[in-house]
Amino acid sequence: MRSQSCFRIVIPTLIVALMLHMWPLPEWLEYLRPEWVVLVLMYWALAMPEQIGVTVAFIVGLLLDVTQGAILGQHAVGLVLVIFVINTQYQRIRVFSLAQQALVVLLLLLIKSVLVLWVSGMVGQAPDIDLYFLPALSGAILWPWLFIVLRDLRRRFTVARSF
Amino acid sequence: MQPLFLQGPSVTLRTILLVIASVIVMVADHRWHALETVRGALESYVVYPIRYTINLPSRLVVWGDESLSSHQQLLDDNRKLQQQQLRAQVSLQKLSVLEKENDRLRKMLSAQPKVGELVLVAEILAIDLDPYKQQVILNKGSNKDVYIGQPIIDAWGVMGQVVHMGGFSSTVLLISDPSHAIPVQVSRSGLRSTAFGTGNSQLLELRYIPHNADLEIGDVITTSGLGGRFPPNYPVGRITSIERAAGESFATVVAEPVAHLDRSREVLLVWHKLQVKEVDTDTQTTAVVKGKSQ
């Protein structure tokens, strides 16, 4: 498996995830919007940990910062740490059932949200936290479906044989 | 063949290095504003195509709406707009006379004449950003000489200022964002203050106003021009509530923005310092030069 060929499918899915991230939604749904980019990157880090590592996470995180108008590095640091956990624990997470995986995803998304919130707080723009952790929840609920869709895509493009 | 274990120390080391890099990047961006070029490049070459694609459906809807509307409807619209134009023209006539008079009086007082302003119409892209921030994306960027800190107004009042800029788009921080503050003046009494955003697009807060200040509900607040970022005398909001609690050292004053912060689709970029001399004068540039340059 060459590393160039795997990006043939990873990059398009990430672009679609970025689009979903910015897609205009009605206001009440906006607070529920799952973090598509993080979820998709988590899947690929799980599926091919040698190619999708912390460096890719850093770059994608910077892109996320630009699209969100956040401080550069704010989402990057959260994404790097999330992908680091997956990168060191992927063998364990892979054998979990989808429901168990969703719990792990929930935990990781919460960690990332807290990190992003900390940075926002440090620069003096901390938002209300009433609804702040909803995207983590919706992301975890979405994970099993996203997992199946991305797995089928990966099999069709045969980018990673194992798992 | 997939290795059974990833090289352990290298992943940890890389993570530590990248976290440190993130912190450095954050400090450089937030404290020193050193990375605007990096952000601009990412915005124009990676993010803009995606944004453009997302915006396409809503543009298609607008286009379809226009091309499917009936002849009669267009005629009606046209008539209505012509009447409006006529009315606006009449009031402009008066305004131009007043402006000349003002110029003359200023000259007599040997005061500096008013500086001219250039405006350019821009469109807000139908894109969602962080729901916890009051920001919008415009479809004009450095290709139209937009600059960081540039004031944005709509047909009713001041909307915000440009904070980030790419080649073809720019990010605007609205006056209602919690991190935004705008120097204002009460047009009736001349009282100066600063209007802070609250995160709610219908609320601004005027801070540090003493209890005995000459202020009434319904007063219009306008930009004061202090600070030099916003041009003076553009309407910002209207006072909706004043609370003078006895224990507090300052009154709690709340205003409602007059600009349609969450409804406008077309906005105006303002060049008010005229240090940007060569604003391109193509068909899209509506150059309204009020008064003469300095």
Side-chain angles (χ1 to χ4, degrees):
Chain A
M1 174 177 46
R2 291 175 307 277
S3 59
Q4 293 100 316
S5 72
C6 77
F7 285 107
R8 204 180 60 200
I9 181 67
V10 172
I11 289 175
T13 50
L14 280 175
I15 288 176
V16 171
L18 262 177
M19 290 175 89
L20 285 171
H21 203 85
M22 293 190 270
W23 201 271
L25 289 179
E27 200 170 339
W28 61 275
L29 257 179
E30 230 175 87
Y31 293 97
L32 265 173
R33 182 200 301 269
E35 299 194 67
W36 293 102
V37 180
V38 185
L39 288 170
V40 168
L41 201 69
M42 277 163 98
Y43 174 80
W44 290 121
L46 207 55
M48 29 191 182
E50 309 114 274
Q51 278 88 23
I52 308 299
V54 281
T55 319
V56 176
F58 182 70
I59 295 164
V60 173
L62 285 185
L63 264 182
L64 210 51
D65 288 321
V66 173
T67 62
Q68 296 278 291
I71 298 164
L72 282 183
Q74 191 176 6
H75 288 86
V77 68
L79 212 51
V80 164
L81 287 174
V82 165
I83 298 303
F84 168 72
V85 173
I86 293 197
N87 232 319
T88 48
Q89 303 293 323
Y90 69 100
Q91 281 147 327
R92 207 167 294 178
I93 302 172
R94 275 179 184 182
V95 296
F96 284 169
S97 71
L98 281 182
Q100 281 170 317
Q101 278 186 9
L103 277 180
V104 175
V105 166
L106 176 67
L107 191 72
L108 290 177
L109 287 175
L110 282 176
I111 291 172
K112 183 185 165 282
S113 302
V114 169
L115 280 171
V116 172
L117 190 67
W118 273 353
V119 176
S120 298
M122 267 187 263
V123 299
Q125 307 162 2
D128 278 348
I129 60 163
D130 306 352
L131 302 169
Y132 196 79
F133 298 105
L134 273 184
L137 196 65
S138 61
I141 293 169
L142 212 74
W143 173 260
W145 286 274
L146 190 79
F147 182 91
I148 292 167
V149 169
L150 285 176
R151 188 189 58 192
D152 288 354
L153 265 180
R154 177 176 58 75
R155 285 191 180 149
R156 177 161 302 175
F157 286 83
T158 57
V159 283
R161 250 154 290 148
S162 59
F163 175 53
Chain B
M1 175 66 193
Q2 200 174 349
L4 199 53
F5 297 100
L6 296 176
Q7 292 126 342
S10 130
V11 174
T12 317
L13 190 67
R14 266 188 297 160
T15 306
I16 292 169
L17 286 179
L18 285 172
V19 168
I20 293 170
S22 307
V23 173
I24 292 172
V25 165
M26 279 190 270
V27 172
D29 189 36
H30 183 65
R31 288 268 154 172
W32 309 324
H33 303 285
L35 295 170
E36 280 304 329
T37 48
V38 177
R39 190 192 284 272
L42 279 175
E43 197 153 325
S44 3
Y45 300 117
V46 187
V47 179
Y48 182 70
I50 300 177
R51 279 187 183 147
Y52 186 84
T53 322
I54 296 175
N55 195 41
L56 268 184
S58 82
R59 279 183 64 169
L60 273 179
V61 169
V62 171
W63 176 80
D65 203 34
E66 274 169 4
S67 37
L68 292 178
S69 55
S70 71
H71 183 66
Q72 190 56 44
Q73 203 179 335
L74 285 176
L75 278 180
D76 284 352
D77 276 1
N78 198 340
R79 202 166 302 134
K80 212 187 294 165
L81 286 174
Q82 259 171 6
Q83 280 176 7
Q84 249 175 40
Q85 161 80 0
L86 199 67
R87 239 172 277 146
Q89 204 76 46
V90 171
S91 53
L92 262 183
Q93 278 176 18
K94 266 192 216 155
L95 191 74
S96 71
V97 172
L98 281 177
E99 209 152 64
K100 282 214 186 83
E101 186 180 304
N102 196 322
D103 259 10
R104 199 157 40 83
L105 290 172
R106 271 169 185 272
K107 240 175 242 157
M108 281 161 80
L109 288 167
S110 63
Q112 221 174 28
K114 255 172 37 187
V115 181
E117 283 155 12
L118 279 173
V119 294
L120 171 65
V121 178
E123 201 178 297
I124 295 177
L125 297 187
I127 284 165
D128 274 0
L129 294 169
D130 190 344
Y132 295 96
K133 280 186 181 161
Q134 303 269 324
Q135 291 180 333
V136 291
I137 307 279
L138 300 185
N139 67 346
K140 299 277 188 313
S142 52
N143 59 337
K144 298 282 180 204
D145 290 321
V146 175
Y147 60 91
I148 287 174
Q150 183 164 26
I152 305 295
I153 60 175
D154 71 358
W156 297 272
V158 177
M159 285 193 84
Q161 58 178 303
V162 174
V163 283
H164 306 305
M165 186 182 59
F168 316 98
S169 65
S170 46
T171 310
V172 173
L173 190 70
L174 299 179
I175 52 172
S176 54
D177 190 272
S179 63
H180 194 277
I182 175 171
V184 293
Q185 186 168 28
V186 177
S187 59
R188 186 178 53 80
S189 60
L191 177 78
R192 280 191 306 273
S193 175
T194 311
F196 290 79
T198 56
N200 179 339
S201 63
Q202 299 304 323
L203 290 179
L204 296 175
E205 206 185 315
L206 270 65
R207 290 189 203 156
Y208 316 122
I209 288 188
H211 289 300
N212 59 358
D214 181 8
L215 207 59
E216 282 164 20
I217 287 176
D219 276 353
V220 174
I221 51 175
T222 59
T223 50
S224 67
L226 293 178
R229 184 152 287 198
F230 290 92
N233 301 326
Y234 276 102
V236 175
R238 196 169 292 116
I239 306 283
T240 51
S241 95
I242 306 166
E243 255 176 65
R244 295 184 166 101
E248 304 281 331
S249 37
F250 295 109
T252 314
V253 181
V254 173
E256 179 191 32
V258 284
H260 294 185
L261 294 183
D262 46 2
R263 281 162 289 162
S264 286
R265 180 137 179 82
E266 255 125 31
V267 299
L268 294 172
L269 290 152
V270 183
W271 284 264
H272 66 107
K273 289 174 189 160
L274 283 195
Q275 84 254 65
V276 193
K277 275 154 284 163
E278 293 92 20
V279 177
D280 55 351
T281 44
D282 62 15
T283 48
Q284 277 186 304
T285 313
T286 10
V288 183
V289 184
K290 291 198 216 155
K292 277 145 247 132
S293 54
Q294 285 176 302

